[in-house]
């Protein structure tokens, strides 16, 4: 927030704390009846990138902070089925799709590479340090090279014994974490060595069957957030214990949690599985700080959320909503 005057910073901070904001639906799209869209998005400076069906579209954010332009500045194609997840890294987009492929796009250019990655849909991807990690419904996680001349070469295949719903590379680039369905294996959170592909450790014990982890987020190399079907946000510090999380927060309406993000300080934002509920949490408190219902009466999960200093964006099945905390 260094570019914002101190007085304005205090005002915005109080707006976040008290839930004062202007709500707006900035994009709408037709929802598939049989299989609804599960959009994913990323924020990058002046642009918001949003997946809609098999494409990823780049929308320019309005300079006055009132939302985003209606028409995309660029469209990135390459998948034959819906994009499941994607990440931005070093001016590239790395995406995984329902067609089992991974596609690598150069944001400012026509360069793209596509390769077959999994036998079933690629549910999640991450990319750092010249490596891609991917997780799939086919019960495997894989490590891929991005080195010149070796793009798309599989370095390791990890047998997870379960569908992989979420994945993230540690900031130290030494390991990665997988969040699985907790049906075929009793540990939904496991950390693997990037260099060897071997299991490093399991996080937590005594998970109920079906307590799948839908999103994971590294704050630091040792601090990790997770959420999923068992309605809990968990905060892990692997320096102190891998058996028990250091903090946990329960979704008050017993809803699964589809996505999570933090400001790497005190605030956490989570997206619930019913009625587009976004909740703000303060790590120093046990109860939810604020909640926003973005989808009523039609119920939709919050599939993805991202926020900046002043705005929070939430992607639902048929619309993109923005909360403006400068109001």
């Amino acid at each position: 927030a260094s570019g914002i005057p101190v007085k304005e910073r205090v005002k915005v901070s109080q707006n976040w704390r008290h839930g004062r904001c202007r709500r707006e639906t900035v994009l709408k799209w037709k929802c598939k009846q049989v299989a609804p869209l599960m959009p994913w998005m990323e924020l990058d400076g002046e642009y918001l990138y949003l997946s809609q069906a098999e494409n990823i579209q780049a929308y320019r954010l309005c300079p006055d902070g009132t939302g985003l332009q209606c028409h995309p500045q660029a469209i990135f194609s390459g998948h034959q089925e819906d994009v499941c997840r994607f990440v931005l890294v070093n001016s590239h987009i790395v995406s995984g799709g329902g067609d089992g492929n991974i596609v690598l796009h150069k944001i400012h250019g026509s360069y793209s590479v596509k390769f077959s990655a999994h036998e079933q849909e690629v549910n999640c991807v991450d990319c750092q340090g010249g490596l891609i990690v991917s997780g799939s419904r086919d019960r495997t996680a894989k490590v891929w090279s991005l080195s010149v001349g070796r793009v798309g070469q599989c370095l390791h295949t990890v047998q997870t014994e379960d569908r992989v719903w979420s994945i993230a590379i540690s900031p130290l680039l030494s390991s990665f974490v997988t969040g699985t369905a907790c049906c075929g294996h009793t540990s939904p959170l496991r950390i693997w060595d990037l260099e060897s592909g071997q299991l490093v450790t399991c996080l937590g014990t005594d998970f109920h069957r079906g307590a799948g982890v839908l999103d994971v987020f590294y704050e630091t190399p040792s601090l990790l957030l997770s959420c999923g079907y068992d309605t809990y946000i968990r905060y892990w510090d692997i320096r102190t214990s891998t058996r028990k999380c250091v903090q946990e927060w329960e979704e008050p309406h017993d809803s699964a949690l589809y996505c999570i993000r933090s400001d790497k300080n005190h605030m956490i934002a989570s997206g619930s599985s019913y009625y587009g509920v976004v909740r703000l949490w303060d790590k120093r408190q046990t109860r939810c700080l604020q909640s926003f219902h973005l989808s009523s009466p039609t119920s939709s999960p919050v599939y993805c959320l991202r926020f900046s200093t002043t705005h929070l964006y939430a992607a639902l099945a048929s619309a993109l909503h923005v909360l403006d905390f400068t109001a």
Side-chain angles (χ1 to χ4, degrees), residues 150-176:
R150 300 178 66 193
V151 175
Q153 180 180 339
C154 183
L155 304 179
H156 303 294
T157 298
V158 172
Q159 302 295 332
T160 60
E161 305 172 46
D162 235 335
R163 290 166 292 175
V164 184
W165 292 127
S166 55
I167 201 163
I169 298 175
S170 164
L172 286 180
L173 309 181
S174 59
S175 61
F176 65 97

Side-chain angles (χ1 to χ4, degrees), residues 6-69:
V6 174
K7 185 177 179 180
E8 184 70 14
R9 231 182 292 177
V10 172
K11 174 189 170 184
V12 171
S13 175
Q14 291 301 310
N15 286 346
W16 280 97
R17 180 180 297 276
H18 299 292
R20 292 192 295 259
C21 63
R22 185 177 73 248
R23 307 183 193 191
E24 185 180 359
T25 303
V26 291
L27 287 175
K28 288 186 177 181
W29 52 85
K30 291 183 179 180
C31 184
K32 292 182 180 179
Q33 297 299 315
V34 178
L37 295 179
M38 294 189 289
W40 196 253
M41 65 178 164
E42 295 288 352
L43 278 175
D44 181 28
E46 300 176 351
Y47 290 89
L48 181 144
Y49 296 83
L50 176 73
S51 66
Q52 294 174 275
E54 65 273 13
N55 297 322
I56 298 170
Q57 302 181 355
Y59 293 89
R60 183 185 288 274
L61 300 174
C62 295
D64 57 0
T66 57
L68 62 155
Q69 296 180 357

